[in-house]
Amino acid sequence: MYAQGLIGKPGGSVSDETEEFLAAFQARIDAEEKIEPKDAMPAAYRRTLVRQIGQHAHSEIVGMLPEGNWITRAPSLKRKAALLAKVQDEGGHGLYLYAAAETLGVSREEMTEELLDGRAKYSSIFNYPTLSWADIGIIGWLVDGAAIMNQIPLCRCSFGPYARAMIRVCKEESFHQRQGYEIVMTLARGSEAQREMVQDALNRWWWPSLMMFGPHDADSTHSDQSMKWKIKRFTNDDLRQKFIDATVPQAEFLGLSVPDPDLRWNPDKNGGKGGYDHGAIDWDEFWRVVKGHGPMARDRIKARRKAWEDGAWVRDAARAHAKKRAARKAVLAAE
Ligand code: FAQ
């Protein structure tokens, strides 16, 4: 089913990876060539991609849950239709990403099992609860906004199927970000109670959104190698800074305050272009959430497990159908 390069094939050994092979592979990366599924690749390159794309796919699917929670309670038919479409888009993103990871020789079943038994992660952000309608606007504005900041550079990822999937994903995320901002703008210009509701949502989602970019560069285990392989194009801290610099003026425009007393414009930052200094991120909270102790972690995995078990009959039926078709094809070929 999968087209695999001999070197670096799943379960294969790294003993074939001569210095010459690794140098030739790096030269292709440095020349901005795309690596395709049939190409030979170092086993560690394949593993890094399976890890990152798999975790990205899980994040999209788990990410449907916090917003899905508000579909039945959206304040108007228009808002309900838009939210329904957005949540459906996230499901689509998960599917493109699982398909991209499958070209590396890992099945969706295996990836899902890794998620359910805790071997694979998903984004920390989806472990927080959605307490009010304003959270839906804030998620679009901040969470999709952070996702785009991180994913635009992934459109230039060295692995072809991931880069190509990201192009469509980013177009859709950009639309999501705007619908979120529009909800926030409506609430920020609404009644006193609506302004308070949206400020409260911003207070709760600001820091978790900054944590989406991953640990501080000094604690990022994969960044150096992923940058060398041009899987990542920017470090976690660089993207986080870009996000802060883009988002703070938007909050100011809305008349909302970013919950960071240490936030200051620094004209010397970013090589003299200016940028915001910000307060300390609570890394203990980040690692607690990443290790599965986020406020909604148990519910999220429980929901995914239930969906996986409830869908078992569909997978069985699809397999039985494929077997029947193959048998029929074999009979026809023999005639
Ligand atoms: N949460 O060495 P690094 C979305 C883990 S999609 C949980 O820096 P890396 C759309 C990391 O996996 C959101 N774990 O790792 C949407 C590693 O652990 P491992 C998801 C995290 O890979 C919107 C360890 O920490 N986006 O929101 C997190 O080089 C609205 C060390 O970290 C993507 O997945 C975290 N925040 O950089 C959906 C984008 N950060 O694997 C619905 C693609 C780090 O060794 C509604 N991924 N870890 O056990 C990436 O760009 C990268 O994987 C990073 C992390 C930047 C997330």
Side-chain angles (χ1 to χ4, degrees), residues 213-237:
F213 293 93
H216 193 293
D217 288 352
D219 298 318
S220 167
T221 37
H222 305 291
S223 278
D224 283 351
Q225 186 59 63
S226 290
M227 302 261 294
K228 236 180 244 160
W229 278 330
K230 300 189 195 283
I231 294 171
K232 283 167 93 159
R233 297 277 176 164
F234 295 96
T235 70
N236 299 352
D237 286 338

mmCIF file of all heavy atoms in Angstrom, residues 213-237:
data_model
loop_
_atom_site.group_PDB
_atom_site.id
_atom_site.type_symbol
_atom_site.label_atom_id
_atom_site.label_comp_id
_atom_site.label_asym_id
_atom_site.label_seq_id
_atom_site.Cartn_x
_atom_site.Cartn_y
_atom_site.Cartn_z
ATOM 1 N N PHE A 213 3.006 27.373 20.935
ATOM 2 C CA PHE A 213 4.219 27.389 20.096
ATOM 3 C C PHE A 213 5.298 26.435 20.602
ATOM 4 O O PHE A 213 6.343 26.302 19.960
ATOM 5 C CB PHE A 213 4.762 28.820 20.000
ATOM 6 C CG PHE A 213 3.828 29.720 19.234
ATOM 7 C CD1 PHE A 213 2.873 30.479 19.882
ATOM 8 C CD2 PHE A 213 3.865 29.746 17.847
ATOM 9 C CE1 PHE A 213 1.977 31.276 19.169
ATOM 10 C CE2 PHE A 213 2.984 30.540 17.123
ATOM 11 C CZ PHE A 213 2.042 31.305 17.786
ATOM 12 N N GLY A 214 5.031 25.804 21.755
ATOM 13 C CA GLY A 214 5.987 24.837 22.271
ATOM 14 C C GLY A 214 6.919 25.444 23.291
ATOM 15 O O GLY A 214 6.864 26.644 23.566
ATOM 16 N N PRO A 215 7.802 24.612 23.872
ATOM 17 C CA PRO A 215 8.672 25.081 24.948
ATOM 18 C C PRO A 215 9.625 26.177 24.476
ATOM 19 O O PRO A 215 9.822 26.364 23.271
ATOM 20 C CB PRO A 215 9.449 23.822 25.341
ATOM 21 C CG PRO A 215 9.354 22.912 24.182
ATOM 22 C CD PRO A 215 8.061 23.220 23.499
ATOM 23 N N HIS A 216 10.178 26.864 25.419
ATOM 24 C CA HIS A 216 11.241 27.832 25.173
ATOM 25 C C HIS A 216 12.320 27.136 24.321
ATOM 26 O O HIS A 216 12.569 25.943 24.495
ATOM 27 C CB HIS A 216 11.806 28.230 26.543
ATOM 28 C CG HIS A 216 12.688 29.418 26.512
ATOM 29 N ND1 HIS A 216 13.907 29.403 25.885
ATOM 30 C CD2 HIS A 216 12.532 30.653 27.028
ATOM 31 C CE1 HIS A 216 14.464 30.590 26.010
ATOM 32 N NE2 HIS A 216 13.653 31.371 26.697
ATOM 33 N N ASP A 217 12.958 27.888 23.418
ATOM 34 C CA ASP A 217 13.949 27.278 22.509
ATOM 35 C C ASP A 217 14.992 26.445 23.258
ATOM 36 O O ASP A 217 15.418 25.392 22.778
ATOM 37 C CB ASP A 217 14.669 28.370 21.696
ATOM 38 C CG ASP A 217 13.745 28.964 20.639
ATOM 39 O OD1 ASP A 217 12.628 28.416 20.450
ATOM 40 O OD2 ASP A 217 14.133 29.976 20.013
ATOM 41 N N ALA A 218 15.392 26.919 24.431
ATOM 42 C CA ALA A 218 16.430 26.199 25.180
ATOM 43 C C ALA A 218 15.947 24.809 25.605
ATOM 44 O O ALA A 218 16.760 23.919 25.843
ATOM 45 C CB ALA A 218 16.831 27.014 26.405
ATOM 46 N N ASP A 219 14.617 24.625 25.695
ATOM 47 C CA ASP A 219 14.079 23.328 26.124
ATOM 48 C C ASP A 219 13.447 22.546 24.980
ATOM 49 O O ASP A 219 12.788 21.521 25.201
ATOM 50 C CB ASP A 219 13.014 23.549 27.216
ATOM 51 C CG ASP A 219 13.616 24.198 28.438
ATOM 52 O OD1 ASP A 219 14.722 23.796 28.828
ATOM 53 O OD2 ASP A 219 12.988 25.135 28.971
ATOM 54 N N SER A 220 13.604 23.038 23.756
ATOM 55 C CA SER A 220 12.999 22.362 22.610
ATOM 56 C C SER A 220 13.960 21.286 22.108
ATOM 57 O O SER A 220 15.027 21.588 21.583
ATOM 58 C CB SER A 220 12.700 23.395 21.512
ATOM 59 O OG SER A 220 12.404 22.746 20.304
ATOM 60 N N THR A 221 13.568 20.030 22.296
ATOM 61 C CA THR A 221 14.481 18.937 21.956
ATOM 62 C C THR A 221 14.655 18.759 20.447
ATOM 63 O O THR A 221 15.699 18.323 19.996
ATOM 64 C CB THR A 221 13.969 17.594 22.542
ATOM 65 O OG1 THR A 221 12.554 17.584 22.454
ATOM 66 C CG2 THR A 221 14.389 17.396 23.963
ATOM 67 N N HIS A 222 13.604 19.083 19.680
ATOM 68 C CA HIS A 222 13.643 18.740 18.255
ATOM 69 C C HIS A 222 13.999 19.888 17.325
ATOM 70 O O HIS A 222 14.264 19.667 16.146
ATOM 71 C CB HIS A 222 12.282 18.181 17.827
ATOM 72 C CG HIS A 222 11.824 17.019 18.651
ATOM 73 N ND1 HIS A 222 12.437 15.793 18.596
ATOM 74 C CD2 HIS A 222 10.830 16.900 19.562
ATOM 75 C CE1 HIS A 222 11.824 14.963 19.428
ATOM 76 N NE2 HIS A 222 10.856 15.610 20.035
ATOM 77 N N SER A 223 13.936 21.139 17.838
ATOM 78 C CA SER A 223 14.036 22.294 16.926
ATOM 79 C C SER A 223 15.296 22.290 16.059
ATOM 80 O O SER A 223 15.206 22.489 14.851
ATOM 81 C CB SER A 223 13.970 23.609 17.697
ATOM 82 O OG SER A 223 12.639 23.919 17.959
ATOM 83 N N ASP A 224 16.472 22.069 16.680
ATOM 84 C CA ASP A 224 17.722 22.215 15.913
ATOM 85 C C ASP A 224 17.725 21.292 14.691
ATOM 86 O O ASP A 224 17.960 21.716 13.569
ATOM 87 C CB ASP A 224 18.942 21.883 16.781
ATOM 88 C CG ASP A 224 19.253 23.034 17.728
ATOM 89 O OD1 ASP A 224 18.633 24.102 17.558
ATOM 90 O OD2 ASP A 224 20.087 22.842 18.636
ATOM 91 N N GLN A 225 17.430 20.004 14.944
ATOM 92 C CA GLN A 225 17.463 19.044 13.841
ATOM 93 C C GLN A 225 16.331 19.329 12.842
ATOM 94 O O GLN A 225 16.542 19.258 11.626
ATOM 95 C CB GLN A 225 17.363 17.619 14.387
ATOM 96 C CG GLN A 225 17.526 16.544 13.339
ATOM 97 C CD GLN A 225 18.861 16.608 12.592
ATOM 98 O OE1 GLN A 225 19.911 16.445 13.186
ATOM 99 N NE2 GLN A 225 18.820 16.877 11.292
ATOM 100 N N SER A 226 15.155 19.677 13.349
ATOM 101 C CA SER A 226 14.024 19.938 12.438
ATOM 102 C C SER A 226 14.289 21.167 11.578
ATOM 103 O O SER A 226 13.835 21.236 10.431
ATOM 104 C CB SER A 226 12.722 20.126 13.218
ATOM 105 O OG SER A 226 12.324 18.899 13.766
ATOM 106 N N MET A 227 15.036 22.141 12.115
ATOM 107 C CA MET A 227 15.382 23.330 11.309
ATOM 108 C C MET A 227 16.406 22.937 10.242
ATOM 109 O O MET A 227 16.336 23.391 9.112
ATOM 110 C CB MET A 227 15.955 24.438 12.190
ATOM 111 C CG MET A 227 15.031 24.884 13.295
ATOM 112 S SD MET A 227 14.112 26.369 12.940
ATOM 113 C CE MET A 227 15.380 27.572 12.871
ATOM 114 N N LYS A 228 17.360 22.087 10.630
ATOM 115 C CA LYS A 228 18.371 21.642 9.662
ATOM 116 C C LYS A 228 17.707 20.902 8.498
ATOM 117 O O LYS A 228 18.105 21.059 7.346
ATOM 118 C CB LYS A 228 19.351 20.699 10.386
ATOM 119 C CG LYS A 228 20.789 21.165 10.258
ATOM 120 C CD LYS A 228 21.738 20.238 10.972
ATOM 121 C CE LYS A 228 22.424 20.971 12.108
ATOM 122 N NZ LYS A 228 22.989 20.110 13.133
ATOM 123 N N TRP A 229 16.707 20.117 8.823
ATOM 124 C CA TRP A 229 16.004 19.366 7.776
ATOM 125 C C TRP A 229 14.915 20.200 7.099
ATOM 126 O O TRP A 229 14.136 19.665 6.302
ATOM 127 C CB TRP A 229 15.375 18.108 8.392
ATOM 128 C CG TRP A 229 16.329 16.964 8.539
ATOM 129 C CD1 TRP A 229 17.403 16.665 7.760
ATOM 130 C CD2 TRP A 229 16.253 15.928 9.531
ATOM 131 N NE1 TRP A 229 18.016 15.507 8.201
ATOM 132 C CE2 TRP A 229 17.332 15.033 9.280
ATOM 133 C CE3 TRP A 229 15.392 15.656 10.593
ATOM 134 C CZ2 TRP A 229 17.555 13.899 10.070
ATOM 135 C CZ3 TRP A 229 15.620 14.533 11.370
ATOM 136 C CH2 TRP A 229 16.694 13.671 11.095
ATOM 137 N N LYS A 230 14.787 21.450 7.494
ATOM 138 C CA LYS A 230 13.784 22.366 6.941
ATOM 139 C C LYS A 230 12.361 21.814 7.080
ATOM 140 O O LYS A 230 11.509 22.019 6.215
ATOM 141 C CB LYS A 230 14.101 22.753 5.490
ATOM 142 C CG LYS A 230 15.457 23.465 5.344
ATOM 143 C CD LYS A 230 15.643 24.022 3.953
ATOM 144 C CE LYS A 230 17.085 24.410 3.643
ATOM 145 N NZ LYS A 230 17.540 25.644 4.224
ATOM 146 N N ILE A 231 12.157 21.073 8.180
ATOM 147 C CA ILE A 231 10.776 20.705 8.544
ATOM 148 C C ILE A 231 10.190 21.946 9.223
ATOM 149 O O ILE A 231 9.141 22.442 8.852
ATOM 150 C CB ILE A 231 10.759 19.478 9.487
ATOM 151 C CG1 ILE A 231 11.269 18.247 8.747
ATOM 152 C CG2 ILE A 231 9.361 19.253 10.060
ATOM 153 C CD1 ILE A 231 11.506 17.021 9.613
ATOM 154 N N LYS A 232 10.940 22.475 10.194
ATOM 155 C CA LYS A 232 10.582 23.755 10.817
ATOM 156 C C LYS A 232 11.448 24.834 10.168
ATOM 157 O O LYS A 232 12.604 24.579 9.839
ATOM 158 C CB LYS A 232 10.887 23.713 12.318
ATOM 159 C CG LYS A 232 9.864 22.938 13.139
ATOM 160 C CD LYS A 232 10.365 22.659 14.543
ATOM 161 C CE LYS A 232 9.948 23.713 15.531
ATOM 162 N NZ LYS A 232 10.001 23.192 16.938
ATOM 163 N N ARG A 233 10.891 26.035 10.001
ATOM 164 C CA ARG A 233 11.656 27.139 9.405
ATOM 165 C C ARG A 233 11.982 28.207 10.441
ATOM 166 O O ARG A 233 12.819 29.072 10.189
ATOM 167 C CB ARG A 233 10.853 27.786 8.277
ATOM 168 C CG ARG A 233 10.569 26.833 7.121
ATOM 169 C CD ARG A 233 11.749 26.775 6.196
ATOM 170 N NE ARG A 233 11.546 25.808 5.126
ATOM 171 C CZ ARG A 233 12.276 25.779 4.018
ATOM 172 N NH1 ARG A 233 13.244 26.656 3.832
ATOM 173 N NH2 ARG A 233 12.073 24.867 3.105
ATOM 174 N N PHE A 234 11.264 28.205 11.554
ATOM 175 C CA PHE A 234 11.497 29.186 12.623
ATOM 176 C C PHE A 234 11.474 28.447 13.956
ATOM 177 O O PHE A 234 10.827 27.407 14.073
ATOM 178 C CB PHE A 234 10.398 30.261 12.657
ATOM 179 C CG PHE A 234 10.360 31.125 11.431
ATOM 180 C CD1 PHE A 234 9.491 30.829 10.385
ATOM 181 C CD2 PHE A 234 11.189 32.232 11.311
ATOM 182 C CE1 PHE A 234 9.452 31.626 9.246
ATOM 183 C CE2 PHE A 234 11.149 33.036 10.176
ATOM 184 C CZ PHE A 234 10.288 32.726 9.138
ATOM 185 N N THR A 235 12.128 29.025 14.942
ATOM 186 C CA THR A 235 12.105 28.379 16.264
ATOM 187 C C THR A 235 10.777 28.693 16.952
ATOM 188 O O THR A 235 10.046 29.603 16.553
ATOM 189 C CB THR A 235 13.255 28.890 17.160
ATOM 190 O OG1 THR A 235 12.973 30.251 17.528
ATOM 191 C CG2 THR A 235 14.601 28.799 16.471
ATOM 192 N N ASN A 236 10.518 27.960 18.035
ATOM 193 C CA ASN A 236 9.277 28.170 18.795
ATOM 194 C C ASN A 236 9.195 29.612 19.304
ATOM 195 O O ASN A 236 8.149 30.262 19.209
ATOM 196 C CB ASN A 236 9.229 27.216 20.005
ATOM 197 C CG ASN A 236 9.259 25.751 19.600
ATOM 198 O OD1 ASN A 236 9.173 25.415 18.420
ATOM 199 N ND2 ASN A 236 9.391 24.858 20.588
ATOM 200 N N ASP A 237 10.303 30.121 19.860
ATOM 201 C CA ASP A 237 10.271 31.483 20.432
ATOM 202 C C ASP A 237 10.098 32.541 19.344
ATOM 203 O O ASP A 237 9.421 33.549 19.560
ATOM 204 C CB ASP A 237 11.570 31.768 21.220
ATOM 205 C CG ASP A 237 11.596 31.017 22.550
ATOM 206 O OD1 ASP A 237 10.517 30.636 23.048
ATOM 207 O OD2 ASP A 237 12.698 30.795 23.091
#
